[in-house]
Amino acid sequence: MQFLKTLILLGSFTLVACQHNVTQTKMTHLAMVHEAESKLDQSFYQFQQSAKKPVIALVLGSGGARGYAHIGVIEVLEKYGIQPDFIVGTSAGSIVGSIYASGKSAAELHSIAMQMKVGDVREINIGFKGFFDGKKVEDYVNEQVGQTSLEKMKIPMYVVATELKHGKKVIFNYGNTGQAVRASVSIPSMFVPTKIAGQEYVDGGLVSPVPVNVARDLGADIIIAVDILAQPVYTETSNVWGLFNQNINIMQNRLAAEELKNADIVIQPDLREKAHIFDVKGRQETIQAGVDATLQRLQDINTVLNKKKQSDPISESPLNAYN
């Protein structure tokens, strides 16, 4: 599947993890459990009440190697002074989001992406449940974030995965960052499910390819969502593998379409390449696609920020300084 193929490549840029503290947002359909609100949740809601400004969420979707486009999006937002108050990421988005949330700049993200080697994140370990166990992904992400746990990220970070047994959406925001990301990118049948506190977790893109609703449930006032899914219209369907890809693409796009209705801004980079799973060429072009798509939405972002400013007296929109 195109999605699976590309997502694995971002396995080349893959990172993420989390431990047994699985946080659940307040919405019951998220199927998250916790004895009490997590420390991160508590501090976030306190921030929301005292910030006196709209809370901006950056939502980074799944899409494998297309995830490099997330970096281009972040580069433009950073350049224009648009800082997310928290980040929600699924699969490839959890990798990029976690590294950025740890305190890396957009330029550092770009450098990490360009220097990453397939061997940094890939190891073949054939078993009954998959070809890759994801441990190198976990270790790579933790190395890039300086072993920082999720609750200590400089920008609050929420990682979406799927609990395998019941197919429930689960959000990690506490514990081992690399492990949470590993769970979020664990494509079924390719990656061995990630086991956390006795439960198995797989790719978050199965249930929420662009997790806008998670951000809304967490209290975001403004949601900037980045959709990097493969578009069915560009998928080759002349062979069995292509038809398999198309099934996944159609399913994911339908899931994403429902959630994207709840986003304030949707950024969709023009990504049509059909790169091999571990083809590391074209990274710069994919990053540039993210840059181009975000530049096209700058005025819309400014409009949304100004509308919120009118309803809630806040400081001037960061974009105004550049208009």
Side-chain angles (χ1 to χ4, degrees):
M1 355 182 325
Q2 186 65 24
F3 165 71
L4 295 185
K5 290 197 281 187
T6 39
L7 182 56
I8 285 192
L9 167 48
L10 237 202
S12 52
F13 182 37
T14 277
L15 347 98
V16 78
C18 185
Q19 296 199 67
H20 50 281
N21 277 314
V22 179
T23 310
Q24 298 198 335
T25 38
K26 299 179 170 34
M27 304 301 288
T28 56
H29 74 274
L30 291 181
M32 308 209 68
V33 284
H34 205 341
E35 325 78 69
E37 268 193 334
S38 74
K39 298 175 183 177
L40 185 55
D41 275 341
Q42 292 173 352
S43 63
F44 172 72
Y45 286 109
Q46 290 170 3
F47 163 79
Q48 184 183 28
Q49 293 170 2
S50 64
K52 307 300 183 185
K53 63 180 284 294
V55 174
I56 301 173
L58 177 61
V59 175
L60 304 177
S62 64
R66 290 178 174 82
Y68 290 114
H70 288 319
I71 298 171
V73 173
I74 290 171
E75 285 181 341
V76 174
L77 295 180
E78 185 176 284
K79 175 181 178 182
Y80 286 91
I82 303 169
Q83 172 79 26
D85 295 301
F86 68 94
I87 300 170
V88 182
T90 290
S91 203
S94 73
I95 295 170
V96 176
S98 294
I99 296 177
Y100 185 57
S102 72
K104 294 287 195 299
S105 67
E108 288 174 312
L109 262 181
H110 194 136
S111 177
I112 289 169
M114 299 307 290
Q115 294 177 29
M116 186 271 302
K117 298 179 176 60
V118 172
D120 292 338
V121 295
R122 181 184 67 176
E123 60 179 338
I124 298 177
N125 185 12
I126 299 177
F128 290 112
K129 292 188 175 182
F131 300 100
F132 312 100
D133 68 11
K135 185 62 168 61
K136 290 194 79 171
V137 169
E138 175 179 335
D139 292 343
Y140 181 78
V141 174
N142 279 334
E143 179 183 354
Q144 297 305 323
V145 303
Q147 307 301 321
T148 303
S149 56
L150 280 171
E151 76 276 11
K152 294 181 180 178
M153 289 286 174
K154 292 195 169 138
I155 301 173
M157 178 71 206
Y158 297 82
V159 175
V160 179
T162 302
E163 191 273 312
L164 181 60
K165 188 174 181 61
H166 301 97
K168 295 178 180 179
K169 181 192 303 180
V170 175
I171 293 83
F172 294 102
N173 72 344
Y174 193 94
N176 183 331
T177 300
Q179 192 180 32
V181 174
R182 174 182 176 182
S184 186
V185 304
S186 292
I187 305 166
S189 298
M190 287 195 161
F191 282 90
V192 175
T194 299
K195 187 168 287 189
I196 301 173
Q199 300 294 319
E200 291 185 318
Y201 298 92
V202 293
D203 187 3
L206 295 177
V207 291
S208 188
V210 190
V212 172
N213 291 343
V214 173
R216 191 64 75 190
D217 295 340
L218 285 167
D221 297 307
I222 297 173
I223 296 176
I224 300 173
V226 187
D227 175 12
I228 57 170
L229 291 172
Q231 298 303 306
V233 68
Y234 301 124
T235 302
E236 178 59 56
T237 58
S238 62
N239 54 60
V240 173
W241 185 247
L243 289 172
F244 186 50
N245 285 343
Q246 188 72 324
N247 291 337
I248 296 300
N249 294 342
I250 291 172
M251 176 193 73
Q252 288 200 307
N253 275 276
R254 287 185 179 277
L255 283 173
E258 289 303 308
E259 292 207 55
L260 289 171
K261 292 176 183 177
N262 296 320
D264 297 283
I265 296 291
V266 177
I267 298 172
Q268 293 176 307
D270 185 6
L271 299 167
R272 307 181 189 185
E273 80 289 346
K274 295 178 176 61
H276 183 272
I277 299 175
F278 293 114
D279 180 8
V280 294
K281 297 178 181 178
R283 294 176 187 175
Q284 183 56 52
E285 289 80 0
T286 304
I287 291 173
Q288 187 60 46
V291 169
D292 296 340
T294 310
L295 288 173
Q296 291 173 7
R297 300 307 309 273
L298 273 181
Q299 189 54 53
D300 295 327
I301 296 173
N302 193 28
T303 298
V304 169
L305 289 174
N306 282 331
K307 281 184 179 178
K308 285 295 181 181
K309 179 180 69 171
Q310 292 170 7
S311 59
D312 294 302
I314 59 172
S315 57
E316 185 175 323
S317 164
L319 287 177
N320 289 339
Y322 293 85
N323 292 339

